[in-house]
């Protein structure tokens, strides 16, 4: 065999060996993990319609307290409710918006395929009882449809630095990927409910009642401070407030403070709820159908006391009355509804504790170091830890009840009185009207008009009354089952005393330049048409006539018999004498004046005289002469 053949043989064998080796290595090489095939694909490709969502559940784990907390909003019997207390939620639109942000979330780079590394990435299932680790638990987010089928289910882990994503895995998978997560999610209770406590407009409030008292001590040794009752009223929405019992000489209503109180009451927001004990009615009284033993009554009483409320015997026998630790207010609106708001105890807790009370609420001493009073140097919004994070929030229990306030609807229309028959003719007004002309017969009689007006007014009043009753029932169906929780800050803005709502009246400065101080202003008539209630318009008497002026306290009608010499003593003011009118002679005016005083007997002027631009002397005159330049009641010529 020549050399070329040998060389070719060796070369062919080498090539064949290389091919065999390459084929063998390729055949035995491990394939790409199937998890890598998921990169770039959606976690839940079948979830595309956010309006399918009927429930959202968020489970978190507190590593410090080792507590698991669950927020769930779900549609139950056509209504959305929030767990754990099943409080009604306004969640249809918000749930759809939240579910939208779950649609189309895609997997990024794969970082782990082993469950042993879940703690490292913070994606341990918070619902897992098998894993004993207290660290590395994530937040589980689940969206379901009305049938309970899972539409999306994520466990969210730690966030990467520089907002480069989060570690994320499906609830039923071990693989951990990096994902861009932009979920519009809130587990704050007030974001899912109608947080407005009262839902009224400030301008609709026509009466405000403040019952300012405090309950102190511990059960069963409780003491109640004397109640300061303030009743504010106004006729119109923008009208001034009046207060029963105010000393008008030295005090006045602080209008700005009262308006601010009404606004702050209307702007109170719910930050949490607690279920009310069974056996307490919507109007906050013991339900005899439920409470049939002293033991049951004690159970309810203790629950109330823990939250700052007590039930005592009312003014009427057999009636119960609810009292609150920090007093109560009532707002009455022009649609016939009264809102009673009772302010209970202060407590502190985390946001979840405030909202649902899951881990137990801790009472705060009203006067202690945790007091919400700003004077103690503590913030009413909560306490801060060393790292600046809010560790607790201060909040207060509130009871709200609605009741009918029919007095706000105005007077009940009264039917027209039936006409009495004439004693001479025996005819009633209706008979007399029926005897008129044919033209008048086609028109309704006065009695018919009165009846028609009454029926219209009565129908309108009944409509308002029915609407008010329906609204009270609707409101109590909302208020009836719950203690509400408001922030301590909201309470501080509505806890006002009489000193805040009533202010001292400023003394009116005396007019030292007026020559007639305390009497009729110079250049004006002292006739009755200018007399204002409570305003003394009599001129000062001269010293020699002082005793006579003090003795002259009889009604103005007696002036008709006054001495003519005294009347002549007052000169006629230039340009303002009786002759100025030009309508009547001086003698005629004098006779008319004396005739009116005699016939009236009360010294009041005939309203018609005001139209003639004259005064009739019906006001008592000073025995002394009037000051120079002042108008006289009579022309000296009349004497």
């Amino acid at each position: 065999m020549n050399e070329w053949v040998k060389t070719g043989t060796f070369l062919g064998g080498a090539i064949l060996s290389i091919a065999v080796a390459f084929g063998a290595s390729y055949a035995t090489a491990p394939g790409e993990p199937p998890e890598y095939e998921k990169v770039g694909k959606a976690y839940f490709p079948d979830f595309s319609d956010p309006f399918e969502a009927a429930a959202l559940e968020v489970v978190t784990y507190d590593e410090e307290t080792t507590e698991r907390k669950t927020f769930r909003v779900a549609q139950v019997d056509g209504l959305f409710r929030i767990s754990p207390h099943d409080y009604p939620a306004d969640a249809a639109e918000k749930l759809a918006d939240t579910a939208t942000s779950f649609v189309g979330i895609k997997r990024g780079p794969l970082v782990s395929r082993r469950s042993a590394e879940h703690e490292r990435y913070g994606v341990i299932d918070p619902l897992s009882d098998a894993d004993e680790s207290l660290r590395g638990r994530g937040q589980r987010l689940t969206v379901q449809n009305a049938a309970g089928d899972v539409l999306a289910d994520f466990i969210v882990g730690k966030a990467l630095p520089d907002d480069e994503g989060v570690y994320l895995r499906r609830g039923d998978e071990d693989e951990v990927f990096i994902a861009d997560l932009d979920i519009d999610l809130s587990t704050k209770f007030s974001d899912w409910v109608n947080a407005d406590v009262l839902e009224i407009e400030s301008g609709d409030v026509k009466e405000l009642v403040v019952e300012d008292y405090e309950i102190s001590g511990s059960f069963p040794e409780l003491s109640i401070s004397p109640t300061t009752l303030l009743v504010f009223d106004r006729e119109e929405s923008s009208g001034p407030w009046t207060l029963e019992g105010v000393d008008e000489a030295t005090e006045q209503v602080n209008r700005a403070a009262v308006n601010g109180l009404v606004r702050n009451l209307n702007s109170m927001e719910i930050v949490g709820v607690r279920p009310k004990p069974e056996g307490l009615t919507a109007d906050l009284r013991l339900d005899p159908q439920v409470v049939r033993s002293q033991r049951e009554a004690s159970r309810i009483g203790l629950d109330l006391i823990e939250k700052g409320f007590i039930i005592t015997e009312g003014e009427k026998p057999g009636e119960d009355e609810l009292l609150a630790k920090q007093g109560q207010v009532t707002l009455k609106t022009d649609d016939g509804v009264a809102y009673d708001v009772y302010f209970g105890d202060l407590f502190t807790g985390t946001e979840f504790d405030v909202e649902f009370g899951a881990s137990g609420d801790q009472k705060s001493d009203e006067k202690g170091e945790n007091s919400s009073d700003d004077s103690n140097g503590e913030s009413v919004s909560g306490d801060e830890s060393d790292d600046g994070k809010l560790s607790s929030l201060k909040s207060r229990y509130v009871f709200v009840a609605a009741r009918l306030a029919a007095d706000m609807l105005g007077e009940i229309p009264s039917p027209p009185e039936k006409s009495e028959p004439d004693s001479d003719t025996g005819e009633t007004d209706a008979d007399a009207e029926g005897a008129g002309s044919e033209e008048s017969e086609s028109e309704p009689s006065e009695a018919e008009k009165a009846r028609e007006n009454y029926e219209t007014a009565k129908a309108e009043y009944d409509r308002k009354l029915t609407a008010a009753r329906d609204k009270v029932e609707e409101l109590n169906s909302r208020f009836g089952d719950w203690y509400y929780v408001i922030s301590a800050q909201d309470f501080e803005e509505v806890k006002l005393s009489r000193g805040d709502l009533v202010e001292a009246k400023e003394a009116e400065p005396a007019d030292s330049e007026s020559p007639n101080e305390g009497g009729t202003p110079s250049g004006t008539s002292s006739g009755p048409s200018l007399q204002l209630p409570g305003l003394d318009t009599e001129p000062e008497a001269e010293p020699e006539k002082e005793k006579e002026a003090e003795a002259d306290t009889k009604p103005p009608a007696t002036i008709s018999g006054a001495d003519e010499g005294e009347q002549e003593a007052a000169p006629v003011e230039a340009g303002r004498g009786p002759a100025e009118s030009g309508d009547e002679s001086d003698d005629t005016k004098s006779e008319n004046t004396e005739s009116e005083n005699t016939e009236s007997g009360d010294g009041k002027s005939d309203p018609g005289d005001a139209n003639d631009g004259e005064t009739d002397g019906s006001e008592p005159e000073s025995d002394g002469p009037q000051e120079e330049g002042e108008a006289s009641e009579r022309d000296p010529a009349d004497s």
Side-chain angles (χ1 to χ4, degrees):
M1 180 178 297
N2 59 33
E3 293 297 325
W4 287 104
V5 174
K6 289 181 180 181
T7 302
T9 302
F10 290 138
L11 182 60
I15 294 174
L16 180 61
S17 298
I18 292 173
V20 171
F22 180 79
S25 64
Y26 181 82
T28 59
E32 185 180 63
E35 291 83 358
Y36 282 100
E37 297 178 0
K38 300 177 181 179
V39 174
K41 296 182 180 179
Y43 281 91
F44 293 93
D46 295 334
F47 180 36
S48 59
D49 183 5
F51 291 98
E52 285 186 68
L56 169 68
E57 183 175 271
V58 180
V59 182
T60 58
Y61 184 83
D62 190 328
E63 294 180 350
E64 294 182 2
T65 63
T66 67
E67 289 181 340
R68 180 188 301 152
K69 299 179 180 180
T70 301
F71 173 89
R72 180 179 175 85
V73 56
Q75 192 172 24
V76 180
D77 297 330
L79 296 176
F80 283 96
R81 296 184 177 275
I82 296 179
S83 297
H85 302 313
D86 289 339
Y87 185 81
D90 296 334
E93 183 176 347
K94 187 168 184 62
L95 180 58
D97 291 341
T98 301
T100 299
S101 60
F102 281 72
V103 174
I105 297 177
K106 295 182 179 180
R107 298 175 175 88
L110 175 68
V111 295
S112 175
R113 295 180 295 161
R114 298 182 300 172
S115 60
E117 294 183 320
H118 285 176
E119 180 179 350
R120 175 184 177 185
Y121 298 109
V123 291
I124 295 177
D125 185 358
L127 293 173
S128 174
D129 293 325
D131 197 320
E132 298 180 355
S133 174
L134 302 180
R135 302 289 177 180
R137 292 179 181 260
Q139 184 181 49
R140 187 159 189 167
L141 315 178
T142 306
V143 179
Q144 298 173 311
N145 61 17
D149 300 327
V150 173
L151 300 177
D153 184 22
F154 300 100
I155 298 178
V156 183
K158 298 177 181 178
L160 277 72
D162 300 326
D163 296 328
E164 294 183 359
V166 297
Y167 296 112
L168 187 69
R169 73 180 181 96
R170 279 181 54 142
D172 56 355
E173 294 179 348
D174 289 335
E175 298 88 7
V176 181
F177 296 84
I178 296 175
D180 291 327
L181 198 63
D182 185 17
I183 294 180
D184 179 16
L185 175 64
S186 171
T187 59
K188 191 174 181 179
F189 173 81
S190 58
D191 289 342
W192 290 88
V193 302
N194 179 7
D196 190 345
V197 177
L198 300 181
E199 288 190 288
I200 57 178
E201 298 293 333
S202 297
D204 296 336
V205 179
K206 295 299 184 291
E207 181 174 306
L208 171 67
V209 181
V210 179
E211 297 186 48
D212 186 15
Y213 61 87
E214 290 187 9
I215 301 174
S216 58
S218 301
F219 183 79
E221 297 179 358
L222 298 172
S223 61
I224 303 175
S225 66
T227 299
T228 300
L229 182 64
L230 305 174
V231 182
F232 298 91
D233 294 281
R234 63 179 173 184
E235 295 294 332
E236 302 295 336
S237 299
S238 58
W241 291 97
T242 61
L243 173 62
E244 295 180 6
V246 71
D247 185 355
E248 296 183 357
T250 60
E251 298 177 316
Q252 63 185 9
V253 174
N254 187 334
R255 183 174 178 178
V258 177
N259 285 335
L261 174 58
V262 173
R263 284 195 303 270
N264 291 335
L265 285 167
N266 293 338
S267 62
M268 286 191 310
E269 291 191 350
I270 303 169
V271 297
V273 291
R274 306 287 187 277
K276 193 175 64 178
E278 185 181 3
L280 200 62
T281 63
D283 59 353
L284 309 180
R285 301 179 187 276
L286 293 178
D287 186 353
Q289 301 297 323
V290 177
V291 183
R292 299 183 178 181
S293 68
Q294 184 59 43
R295 182 177 180 180
E296 292 175 335
S298 298
R299 172 185 57 82
I300 295 174
L302 288 174
D303 189 87
L304 290 170
I305 289 172
E306 287 178 357
K307 295 175 175 61
F309 306 96
I310 61 172
I311 292 181
T312 63
E313 293 184 2
E315 295 181 357
K316 297 181 180 179
E319 281 193 357
D320 300 318
E321 180 181 4
L322 182 75
L323 297 178
K325 186 170 184 179
Q326 290 295 322
Q328 63 196 72
V329 297
T330 298
L331 299 95
K332 293 184 179 181
T333 57
D334 54 8
D335 59 354
V337 179
Y339 298 78
D340 296 320
V341 185
Y342 302 82
F343 298 101
D345 232 337
L346 180 74
F347 70 95
T348 61
T350 65
E351 183 176 69
F352 193 89
D353 297 335
V354 167
E355 293 174 344
F356 304 110
S359 61
D361 308 320
Q362 298 179 357
K363 286 190 177 183
S364 292
D365 184 0
E366 298 281 351
K367 303 299 182 183
E369 63 176 348
N370 290 328
S371 172
S372 63
D373 190 346
D374 292 335
S375 63
N376 293 326
E378 297 288 342
S379 169
V380 296
S381 60
D383 302 323
E384 290 189 358
S385 59
D386 294 337
D387 59 1
K389 294 182 180 180
L390 196 65
S391 60
S392 62
L393 300 173
K394 293 186 177 180
S395 307
R396 189 173 294 274
Y397 295 110
V398 171
F399 254 147
V400 184
R403 55 187 171 85
L404 183 66
D407 56 318
M408 294 291 102
L409 301 177
E411 295 184 1
I412 302 176
S414 301
E417 297 181 359
K418 294 182 179 180
S419 58
E420 297 292 336
D422 188 275
S423 58
D424 296 330
T425 63
E427 291 184 346
T428 63
D429 292 342
D431 296 334
E433 292 173 1
S437 62
E438 293 182 0
E439 181 179 352
S440 64
E441 288 179 358
S442 62
E443 299 178 359
S445 66
E446 292 299 325
E448 291 173 338
K449 290 180 180 178
R451 169 59 62 177
E452 182 179 347
N453 291 339
Y454 161 72
E455 291 176 350
T456 301
K458 186 65 167 60
E460 177 63 13
Y461 180 86
D462 291 342
R463 182 193 66 78
K464 292 181 179 180
L465 187 62
T466 300
R469 285 172 174 159
D470 291 344
K471 187 170 184 178
V472 167
E473 183 177 355
E474 177 186 348
L475 288 169
N476 281 333
S477 67
R478 175 191 170 201
F479 300 145
D481 295 333
W482 310 100
Y483 295 104
Y484 287 124
V485 178
I486 64 171
S487 69
Q489 182 64 46
D490 273 359
F491 173 73
E492 291 299 317
E493 293 176 353
V494 300
K495 181 59 175 177
L496 302 181
S497 64
R498 190 181 192 280
D500 301 314
L501 302 172
V502 178
E503 60 186 358
K505 180 179 290 186
E506 296 182 2
E508 297 182 0
D511 187 2
S512 59
E513 300 179 359
S514 173
N516 300 324
E517 185 174 353
T520 306
S522 176
T524 56
S525 170
S526 60
S529 61
L530 298 179
Q531 181 67 40
L532 299 177
L535 179 63
D536 182 11
T537 60
E538 289 189 327
E540 294 183 359
E542 289 185 354
E544 61 270 18
K545 301 293 185 178
E546 186 174 357
K547 293 183 179 181
E548 295 177 11
E550 292 176 355
D552 188 11
T553 58
K554 295 181 180 181
T558 62
I559 295 177
S560 61
D563 186 75
E564 293 182 356
E566 293 176 2
Q567 297 178 17
E568 289 178 350
V572 179
E573 182 184 1
R576 298 183 64 87
E580 185 176 337
S581 78
D583 293 335
E584 299 179 68
S585 67
D586 294 341
D587 294 338
T588 304
K589 294 176 181 179
S590 178
E591 292 172 2
N592 290 343
T593 303
E594 293 176 357
S595 174
E596 290 167 4
N597 287 336
T598 303
E599 293 175 1
S600 64
D602 58 1
K604 295 182 179 179
S605 63
D606 188 337
D609 293 342
N611 297 330
D612 296 332
E614 304 172 9
T615 57
D616 58 3
S618 60
E619 289 293 320
E621 297 183 3
S622 169
D623 291 340
Q626 298 179 358
E627 294 186 13
E628 185 177 357
E630 184 175 0
S632 172
E633 291 292 338
R634 299 177 183 272
D635 192 313
D638 294 342
S639 304

